[in-house]
Amino acid sequence: ALIELVAAAVFIIPLWCIYEKIFFQSWKRTMVYLIFGFYLAVVLALVGFPNITMLQMELTVNLIPFIYMLSDFVNACLLLFVPFGFFLPMLWKEFRSIKSVALAGIVATSFIEISQLFTGRATDIDDIITNSIGTLIGYFIVRFVTENFTKRTLSDSKINDFYLICGSVGVIMFFLQPFVSTWLWGILL
């Protein structure tokens, strides 16, 4: 994941510097958004998000819940999406309700699972369930830590920043990052 993150950072860092001047207009906010962008890049790398160099269509779909959930619950729930549920309410006031965080978790993980149809990996309803639970665990952790979401949160964040970050990381991971990643792996191997 470190190589994949470095390959994404080659594009994310300069782009965020441009965004700081045009959209974010705060270095503090930009640095926190950078951490969130790096987190998204690592998640996309770990889940096998498709990229321009490896598109392949394979329909391996599990729509029956709970069949394989126990074996993958800890990995999916506790490692990948807890930070998603933690970041959202800390960074954007629009995600301070459990309903909005749950919906964001379901949408994000569903997008990832559907995109896996183009990678040869299995698309699994259990992943959507466990990742959504992970998002909610992150929400409850931040809720417990901050007590009322007004302490220790980033102020003046705009919801459009969230969409800009997610869209930018998705485009970078699909179109650009694979080429730098391949080059870095070639150097290391």
Side-chain angles (χ1 to χ4, degrees), residues 176-188:
L176 305 171
Q177 182 269 356
F179 298 106
V180 175
S181 175
T182 301
W183 179 74
L184 289 172
W185 281 112
I187 290 173
L188 290 175

Side-chain angles (χ1 to χ4, degrees), residues 61-68 124-126:
V61 180
N62 172 30
L63 297 176
I64 303 168
F66 310 116
I67 290 180
Y68 305 108
D124 195 339
I125 189 70
D126 290 341

Side-chain angles (χ1 to χ4, degrees), residues 154-166:
L154 194 61
S155 61
D156 300 331
S157 293
K158 298 174 216 81
I159 193 66
N160 288 343
D161 296 345
F162 170 74
Y163 299 123
L164 182 65
I165 292 165
C166 292

Side-chain angles (χ1 to χ4, degrees), residues 4-45:
E4 306 303 325
L5 176 59
V6 169
V10 166
F11 301 102
I12 291 174
I13 292 172
L15 189 59
W16 262 235
C17 289
I18 294 168
Y19 286 169
E20 191 279 328
K21 297 290 184 201
I22 298 171
F23 302 109
F24 305 155
Q25 300 175 345
S26 161
W27 279 107
K28 177 185 174 187
R29 186 174 24 241
T30 301
M31 290 298 116
V32 175
Y33 285 173
L34 188 65
I35 294 167
F36 182 65
F38 287 162
Y39 160 72
L40 290 177
V42 167
V43 167
L44 292 180

